[in-house]
Structure formats: C-alpha cells, structure tokens
Amino acid sequence: MRPQDIGGFDAGVGIQTPGLAVPGTPERSWHAARAAWRLLPCLAGAAMGRNGPRILLIGGTYRAVCVLERLLERGERVVAFIGVEGGGERDFCPEILELCDRAGIPARSGHKLGEEVVRWLEDRIRPELAIALGVHTEIPLSIGGNCRLGLVELGDSSGASQPAVFLRQRGQELVRRELPPPPEGGDPGDAYLSMLEQLCGCLEEFLERHAQPRAERSFAIPFESATAGGENVAALAAHAQAGSATRALEARVAEYLGAERVFALHGARAGFRALTRAFGLCKGDEVLVPGVASAAALEALRAAELAPVFVDIHPERLTLAPSALGPAIGPRTRALLAAHPLGQPAELDALYAIAEERGLEVIEDGCDSLGARFGDSRLGRSPCAAVFRLPLAHAPGFELGLVAAPDSLAVELGSQLEAERASDGLASLGLAALERWEDRLAARRRSASAYSAEFSRYDAFRVPPTPENALSVYSGYLLRLTRFARAGAEDLAKLLAESGIETRRLRLPLADRELASLPAAEHARATGILLPVHESLTDSQRERVMDEIFGYAIG
C-alpha cells in the first residue's frame, strides 16, 4: 500500500478524514503507525472466543483490514468477507485478500452485492451478524434480515465540528465515541491509527453488550455413544496375562464367525503382520490395496516392507472394485487386501475368484465390520483369513484385535502371536462386549435404514447401498452430497457442529499423491460426511439430525 493511498481508500464513502488524503504523507510515519497497530494488545472481551456469533464483514477499505485483524485477535468467528469499496473501482483492499487467505476466510467480490452473492451467503455461510464499513452501495435487506443479530454499520464523522466514530443499526446510533481533534502539525498516521482504535472499540462494545456468546457445551448429539467410566479398567491391570478368559473369548468369537481358529490380540496391526508372514510375503512383494482401507492394515504392510499397489474402489460400495484389479496385477503381485470399509462387505465372490485364477493370497481387512454378513455367513468364516477390531465400550481407549484363520494357518500364527495375545482383563471385557454386540448392530441398522429412507428421496444425497447378498454393520453411515446440495460436505459438517451435532469426515491413510490416481476414493472423501449411527441414538435425535441436514443442504 502506498502512503498516498490512505485517504484514497476512504474517499467517496461519505466519511471525511481530514489530513489523511493529503498527498505526500510521510511514508515513515505511516509504516510506524501500521506497525504500532499490529502490536496493539487484545482488549477485554476475548472470553467470547470462538463461541460468539458468526460474523460477515463487508468493506474494502484499509479500515476493513484493521477491523478484521482485531476480530481475529479476539478469536471471533469471522465466517466470510465481501469486498465492496465505496466509490472505488476495486472490490478489495489488496492486503485483505492475503489476510483472508491466511485465516481461511472465504472472500467474495460483491461490488454490486448481486443475487448470486446473497444466495452464497444464505445457502453456504449463514452468518448471524453482518458488519459493514464505509459501504455506499445499497446492501440488500435480505443480508441483514437473515442474520440473527442483523447488520451494523461502522463509520466516523471526522469532518464534523465534534469528530466521532459510531456504530449504527437500522439508522439508529447504538455506540458513539468522541475523537479529540488532531493536534496542529500532528502525524496523520497517528490520527488515523487513533480513529481506527476507537472504531474497533465501538464494535467491541457492541459485541459485548448485544452479541452475548453461546454457553460452551458438549455436543447434544455426539458421534459416538457415551462410554462408562474407568471402573472396569482395574480388571485390565489385575489380569495382565493371557489365560482362561482369553481362551474363552477366542472360542466364542470363532463360534460367532464360523472360523476354525481365532486369536484375540492387543491390537489389529499385529494380526495383519502375522498374516503377511504366514502367507510367506517377502520384502518388495506387491499387495493390491483398495483406496479405502484401515490405517492398521496399511501400516502393517509398510512395516513389513511390502509394496502396496493402490486400486480404486467401487463408487457406491467403497470396496475394492474387481474390474480394477486386472491392470494392477504385475509380476511381483503376491496378495490382495479385501477391505470391508464402514462395515460394508466387499464383493468376495469376485475377488476370491480373481485371486484363485492369478495365484494371489487374500487378507481381509474387517476392522470396521465385525458381524457383517456376505451371502449366508458372517465375514471371517474359514477358510478366509481376516482381521477384526472389537471396541470395548466400558473401557474407553481400549480395543481388541481379532484374527480369524483356518487351521492350516493356525500353528504358524499361534507361534507368532503368543506374545501379542490379549490379557485376561481385556478378554473379560471383550466377552461382555460380544454379548451385547448383535443388539448394538441391530440398533445401528435401524438408524441407517431410517436415514436412507429419508435421504434417498432427494437428488442432493447419495446413501450407502444395500446389496442383496450382503449385510452391513454400519460402523459408519456415509452420507454423500451431490452437486444438487446447497452445501458441501465440509461446510455441512461445520454447520452441524454449531447446531450441536457431531459428525466426522472420511479419513483415508493415504497421501494426496497416492489418492491422485484413485478418483472414486478421492470423491468419496471429498463429498462424504459420517453421521451418528450408534446404538444410543434416539429416534428424536435422529430426526433432529435429518431436519438440520435438510435445512442446510436443501433449504
């Protein structure tokens, strides 16, 4: 910014700032004033933090930069900026774009504040308070009318007999601060800095009086069910070795899955490592891996120095696409990882047929799918080799890894996994969790069915498929948003969080360069949002989740 532009940014907006528009303002004085501004401490009211109103800032002058900086210093929730310079050709003060970019604030050119900008605000941003600085262009009433706290204007009357700064709303002056007349021969930069300080003071006074923060609270609808306290954790320490409870759990899970042998472990990663060794996979061997798989499986493959070859997924099921396997199989390909993401079974008939034809081993990644069915049996039925995860609801942070394998692998796996077997303390909690497991799955399926019945009626959404030959356990319900939705997945997740509803995004343990060749996996990550589907979710909570999504995504 040039020193002589100080007055130019405010020219023609109905605000006179004597002395600031005089060409030739000393550059030294301006830079000193600007440096001093950036060092101003945060004022009272910082306790509002990020829990205050969602603020839309409208302006284009340098004072908009300063007000935005002050709002960010206070931790206010500035959710959008519309650049409008009163009387100027440009829409933005040059520095505000950089500031918005650093703070992650979406910025739009709105010199005419047309219908498209208004719709963008109403559909995607939903501000609660609009703040306009020195804007002559008529601001559509719908902007202020759609904000819970309306629209306020910040301005000054420096040219009046008694200079002042003020805050107005609907033509009524709510806050006013008198300015001392600038000393004769004083530094224009200092006078401008003083005016900006008082201008921000008016805004802070308004926020503290009229924009009380919402009370901090936990999510009214959490993503996961609340877990009981740690009274059971004592059992983990009291029984630190594998024993009778461990053997009982392994037998119970084997019966549940239809597996010939099950090993209960402290975690899933050790199970994947053991299976790669049992199948004789060596350093440098290639393993076909779907774009959506568990972090435990991928970490185990890399730790064993195997070479994962990533293959794209079925665009609806998110499982390994059999049609994509052919081009990916090379001379060093030795195995494939059949993942069942979010509890959705992969197309096992087709995958096992290809593996048999090409001489490949199959390791099933069932970390999210304990209890899921394919055909007439549960995943993990022998002769399949699969790894599952069993969360322990009454011991927060603890889970069990379960390896289901045929007898032909059991001897070698047993020698490898003896040191990794779960303790009797963990196993006893695992037995209790397994007793309630089918009830938990039935509750998830009821919620998933209710979601799908409603969301499938609209073109704005894509719901998880329900194949005839498979039964998901819905460890996650991934709602996909299409181009017909009025909000993207990231925006929708933020809006739901502010409404007290906790959601998650699909996290893939792949680098961006790895996802670059997997368009279906990348699209699922970009457009999907995981909704609460746990067994504690009530009908009224589920209805509220759907109502909020309909309000934000389809109006």
Side-chain angles (χ1 to χ4, degrees):
M1 179 185 301
R2 300 172 302 164
Q4 57 265 38
D5 286 339
I6 298 173
F9 277 118
D10 285 308
V13 297
I15 300 174
Q16 301 299 319
T17 50
L20 297 185
V22 178
T25 300
E27 185 171 358
R28 171 186 52 79
S29 299
W30 168 249
H31 285 303
R34 186 168 182 273
W37 172 266
R38 291 186 181 276
L39 293 175
L40 286 172
C42 299
L43 299 183
M48 290 186 65
R50 299 184 182 277
N51 205 35
R54 295 168 55 83
I55 295 174
L56 162 69
L57 189 63
I58 306 172
T61 66
Y62 185 71
R63 68 182 61 192
V65 179
C66 299
V67 168
L68 179 56
E69 285 180 337
R70 177 60 65 87
L71 290 171
L72 294 177
E73 284 175 358
R74 285 170 51 90
E76 300 289 354
R77 299 192 301 168
V78 182
V79 295
F81 172 79
I82 293 181
V84 181
E85 266 191 43
E89 291 298 323
R90 292 169 295 186
D91 289 323
F92 297 103
C93 164
E95 291 191 330
I96 206 160
L97 286 176
E98 179 186 352
L99 184 58
C100 287
D101 184 60
R102 286 202 310 267
I105 298 171
R108 292 290 187 274
S109 170
H111 194 66
K112 297 181 181 179
L113 281 176
E115 183 180 349
E116 182 180 346
V117 174
V118 176
R119 186 179 300 112
W120 172 69
L121 289 172
E122 294 174 345
D123 293 354
R124 302 292 297 276
I125 306 301
R126 296 182 180 269
E128 297 172 293
L129 173 67
I131 301 170
L133 296 103
V135 177
H136 255 176
T137 308
E138 183 179 353
I139 299 171
L141 294 178
S142 59
I143 290 182
N146 285 337
C147 295
R148 178 172 61 90
L149 299 170
L151 180 142
V152 298
E153 298 174 83
L154 286 173
D156 75 323
S157 55
S158 302
S161 56
Q162 180 57 59
V165 294
F166 54 83
L167 181 146
R168 278 191 307 233
Q169 189 172 42
R170 301 186 189 91
Q172 180 182 358
E173 212 169 83
L174 302 182
V175 184
R176 183 180 183 87
R177 293 192 176 191
E178 307 295 338
L179 295 175
E184 191 172 338
D187 192 315
D190 290 340
Y192 190 64
L193 179 62
S194 177
M195 185 271 294
L196 289 174
E197 171 68 14
Q198 293 301 319
L199 197 70
C200 287
C202 286
L203 179 57
E204 289 171 333
E205 185 177 339
F206 170 81
L207 290 174
E208 288 156 14
R209 272 201 281 165
H210 299 275
Q212 293 300 316
R214 297 170 177 169
E216 291 285 357
R217 57 179 173 81
S218 58
F219 285 107
I221 304 178
F223 183 77
E224 296 176 340
S225 59
T227 54
E231 68 274 6
N232 292 305
V233 178
L236 310 183
H239 303 279
Q241 303 298 321
S244 59
T246 306
R247 292 189 294 272
L249 174 64
E250 291 172 343
R252 178 70 183 86
V253 175
E255 179 186 5
Y256 177 72
L257 298 178
E260 293 172 355
R261 184 67 190 274
V262 166
F263 299 90
L265 312 176
H266 287 104
R269 180 175 172 177
F272 287 112
R273 286 288 304 273
L275 284 175
T276 61
R277 291 193 292 266
F279 282 131
L281 303 183
C282 302
K283 178 181 178 180
D285 286 344
E286 294 180 353
V287 180
L288 304 182
V289 177
V292 180
S294 71
L298 194 54
E299 288 168 3
L301 295 179
R302 285 172 166 156
E305 299 184 273
L306 301 173
V309 176
F310 295 103
V311 181
D312 212 359
I313 57 173
H314 188 288
E316 299 294 335
R317 296 176 66 138
L318 307 187
T319 56
L320 189 62
S323 59
L325 286 180
I329 297 175
R332 293 190 61 83
T333 305
R334 292 288 313 283
L336 66 87
L337 183 74
H340 310 292
L342 304 178
Q344 177 74 265
E347 298 173 81
L348 292 178
D349 288 344
L351 294 178
Y352 272 98
I354 294 173
E356 184 176 2
E357 178 185 347
R358 306 299 290 267
L360 305 178
E361 305 290 354
V362 179
I363 300 174
E364 291 188 39
D365 175 5
C367 281
D368 295 336
S369 57
L370 179 64
R373 288 181 172 273
F374 183 83
D376 59 356
S377 62
R378 290 190 178 96
L379 300 181
R381 180 177 181 179
S382 292
C384 299
V387 180
F388 300 95
R389 184 166 47 202
L390 175 62
L392 304 178
H394 294 283
F398 289 91
E399 63 182 25
L400 288 169
L402 302 170
V403 180
D407 286 335
S408 57
L409 293 176
V411 175
E412 186 170 353
L413 286 174
S415 61
Q416 293 184 38
L417 294 174
E418 185 59 36
E420 300 289 343
R421 289 178 73 199
S423 67
D424 261 7
L426 278 173
S428 63
L429 297 182
L431 283 166
L434 198 62
E435 288 299 318
R436 299 184 296 273
W437 193 247
E438 280 298 307
D439 291 337
R440 296 177 67 182
L441 299 189
R444 289 186 200 168
R445 289 174 180 135
R446 283 195 299 271
S447 288
S449 178
Y451 279 143
S452 293
E454 293 299 320
F455 289 130
S456 61
R457 297 165 53 200
Y458 300 92
D459 291 339
F461 309 110
R462 288 166 60 188
V463 302
T466 52
E468 292 183 3
N469 64 338
L471 183 62
S472 174
V473 299
Y474 293 102
S475 55
Y477 185 94
L478 187 69
L479 180 68
R480 309 275 293 278
L481 285 90
T482 73
R483 61 188 179 89
F484 299 106
R486 296 172 64 186
E490 184 175 357
D491 291 333
L492 181 59
K494 292 177 181 178
L495 292 168
L496 290 173
E498 290 169 4
S499 299
I501 299 170
E502 185 182 13
T503 60
R504 302 278 173 84
R505 300 296 306 283
L506 184 64
R507 303 296 180 193
L508 306 181
L510 280 69
D512 288 342
R513 59 180 174 77
E514 294 167 333
L515 275 172
S517 60
L518 307 174
E522 171 59 27
H523 190 258
R525 182 180 74 161
T527 62
I529 180 172
L530 290 164
L531 304 184
V533 72
H534 54 80
E535 64 277 8
S536 301
L537 191 70
T538 65
D539 291 347
S540 60
Q541 287 177 325
R542 187 173 58 245
E543 290 293 333
R544 184 183 162 197
V545 171
M546 291 189 287
D547 287 345
E548 293 289 346
I549 292 175
F550 289 143
Y552 289 130
I554 61 177

